[in-house]
Amino acid sequence: MPDTTGQDVPCPYCNNISGVGPAPHLSSGSDFDIPVAEFDRTVCVPTVGMLTPGYCLLVDRVHSSSYSTLSRDQFEMVVADLRKSLNLLEPVFGPYLVVEHGFATRRTVPHGSCIDHSHFHLIPDSCGVLTESVLGSELAFHKTSAGELENLAGHGYLLIGVDSEFYSTRFEGLPSQWIRRRLFEVRELTGSWDWAADVGRDNLLKTRKMLRECSEEGNRGQ
Ligand SMILES: [Zn+2]
Ligand SMILES: [Zn+2]
């Protein structure tokens, strides 16, 4: 049973993961719900609002508002799943930038979050422009260990993963979908950064195709 304790409306991610029913504002029960990989602690799914092929979310099976609220052991389980996801994705889509944007869409001031349920955005960034743009932004990032995450609990923040290290910054009032806006801008994309305006179906189809071809190549090579 998904735990949506403390929330005034059912959590759409809990809803999706538990299979209770599609979350209409996430994906209308479409191909986006089919996981790329499933683990004990998390599920890796293609993101709705797929601005670039290979853009996925790693979503916790258990509800919590953000990773800063997890124990160190719990977070390390998430990181183990994150590594497995990247081992699967990076050979196909190149190096990734990993982003968690804290919580609090339901506060009066949004904090960069789309949904209040712990999840990482896994964003292909083979040429490094997004990572460079985020690290070079007005936000001051500090290297952050799993044991230091609790210092972020209750705050607006960004946590990013680059080359197996985590960096964080506390920031109140980050605009909603901040990371999508940033990606849209640095890649000079056309269309919309807003997942509600463009789910990115073409990129979903490309993602499935590229993953399939890579696994077929792997099978042939054995
Ligand atoms: Zn949830
Ligand atoms: Zn998000």
Side-chain angles (χ1 to χ4, degrees):
M1 207 51 199
D3 173 15
T4 55
T5 312
Q7 303 211 62
D8 43 5
V9 290
C11 168
Y13 282 2
C14 286
N15 209 24
N16 253 26
I17 288 168
S18 66
V20 169
H25 59 298
L26 270 189
S27 61
S28 46
S30 71
D31 301 351
F32 284 100
D33 294 339
I34 301 166
V36 169
E38 295 192 71
F39 309 105
D40 288 344
R41 170 95 209 177
T42 63
V43 185
C44 182
V45 288
T47 188
V48 176
M50 192 178 278
L51 293 171
T52 185
Y55 187 164
C56 294
L57 302 179
L58 187 69
V59 184
D60 255 41
R61 289 182 187 274
V62 182
H63 185 87
S64 63
S65 58
S66 74
Y67 286 130
S68 62
T69 64
L70 299 190
S71 71
R72 190 182 175 142
D73 285 354
Q74 288 170 328
F75 183 69
E76 278 169 358
M77 286 169 72
V78 174
V79 172
D81 290 353
L82 173 64
R83 299 232 159 90
K84 286 183 217 157
S85 302
L86 293 178
N87 284 344
L88 183 84
L89 295 168
E90 288 192 329
V92 186
F93 303 102
Y96 270 68
L97 175 66
V98 174
V99 180
E100 193 222 349
H101 45 54
F103 69 107
T105 43
R106 293 184 185 97
R107 285 188 185 178
T108 38
V109 181
H111 286 51
S113 180
C114 48
I115 302 284
D116 285 343
H117 177 123
S118 298
H119 63 282
F120 274 124
H121 287 238
L122 314 184
I123 311 172
D125 191 30
S126 54
C127 46
V129 286
L130 181 63
T131 306
E132 206 175 292
S133 154
V134 171
L135 285 174
S137 69
E138 67 281 14
L139 308 169
F141 284 91
H142 306 280
K143 203 164 165 177
T144 305
S145 68
E148 290 169 324
L149 270 185
E150 60 182 10
N151 300 331
L152 301 170
H155 297 278
Y157 70 86
L158 269 181
L159 177 70
I160 66 168
V162 186
D163 298 336
S164 305
E165 299 285 359
F166 285 102
Y167 301 84
S168 70
T169 182
R170 266 162 60 166
F171 193 90
E172 309 294 333
L174 208 60
S176 166
Q177 302 195 53
W178 183 84
I179 194 65
R180 288 182 198 282
R181 295 177 202 228
R182 201 98 198 175
L183 176 63
F184 188 81
E185 194 183 298
V186 296
R187 293 271 186 88
E188 297 175 354
L189 298 173
T190 52
S192 173
W193 50 261
D194 183 357
W195 61 257
D198 184 1
V199 295
R201 183 157 300 282
D202 288 353
N203 282 333
L204 174 67
L205 296 176
K206 271 187 209 158
T207 301
R208 298 271 188 222
K209 184 164 181 277
M210 287 167 79
L211 284 168
R212 203 167 46 239
E213 284 171 359
C214 187
S215 93
E216 281 166 6
E217 252 170 53
N219 290 340
R220 269 199 300 276
Q222 276 169 10

